[in-house]
Amino acid sequence: MGADVHKGEDRNGGALSVGADGLAVDHEYLSLERELTFLFRRARANQGEMAREVHPDLESAAYGLLVRLDESGRQRATELAAYIGVGKATMSRQLRALEDLGLIAREPDPADGRAWLVDLTDEGSRRVTHVREARRARYVTQLSHWDRREVAELARLIHQLNGVMEK
């Protein structure tokens, strides 16, 4: 008989089934979960490629730090750790590796002598900008058959989803 015992609609007209376990199966949300899983898996792979384009020895996870610094400018390590969602020890290790590669520099925070500000070096900025421009060019090529309004709508929806998931 399969997993679906009973089919119907939810109160919004969406496809809804009751599985053999008696729990509701909401097909739209199952599709969303499947597509996001695929998107995230592909994004992780792309992040690794972009990290290697910045520098062959750059860890995939550290690429996000460089992008954050590129977009927001210099900031404290604690702010970066909070944004990325890692602890102080992990952040310290990643920053040390980026510093060793010549991609970032640290300087004392004039507002608090105990804290350090982190920023991209000129070389780090050049490399990150090059990789990000190449990525945007790939998006333009891959989505060239899309209407620009569709691209804008996709960006808006992903932004909205990111906001909900942040909470």
Side-chain angles (χ1 to χ4, degrees), residues 56-69:
D57 297 329
L58 184 63
E59 288 184 30
S60 177
Y63 178 77
L65 291 172
L66 297 176
V67 169
R68 178 65 176 181
L69 289 169

Side-chain angles (χ1 to χ4, degrees), residues 36-87:
L36 285 175
T37 298
F38 183 71
L39 178 67
F40 294 155
R41 184 174 41 242
R42 180 168 281 156
R44 276 191 299 276
N46 286 341
Q47 183 168 328
E49 291 172 17
M50 290 181 288
R52 286 185 295 281
E53 288 177 34
V54 170
H55 193 284
D57 297 329
L58 184 63
E59 288 184 30
S60 177
Y63 178 77
L65 291 172
L66 297 176
V67 169
R68 178 65 176 181
L69 289 169
D70 185 47
E71 291 178 346
S72 301
R74 69 184 191 164
Q75 39 191 291
R76 289 182 176 186
T78 53
E79 293 170 319
L80 286 169
Y83 176 78
I84 300 293
V86 299

Side-chain angles (χ1 to χ4, degrees), residues 92-113:
S92 181
R93 182 183 59 76
Q94 288 181 346
L95 291 176
R96 194 168 30 261
L98 290 170
E99 197 170 23
D100 290 346
L101 294 173
L103 301 173
I104 65 157
R106 296 188 227 199
E107 63 183 56
D109 184 345
D112 181 354

Side-chain angles (χ1 to χ4, degrees), residues 29 32 36 39-40 151-167:
Y29 289 95
L32 175 63
L36 285 175
L39 178 67
F40 294 155
V151 175
E153 179 65 3
L154 177 60
R156 186 190 71 75
L157 289 170
I158 291 172
H159 177 77
Q160 186 176 343
L161 178 65
N162 284 332
V164 168
M165 291 183 153
E166 192 173 272
K167 296 175 183 175

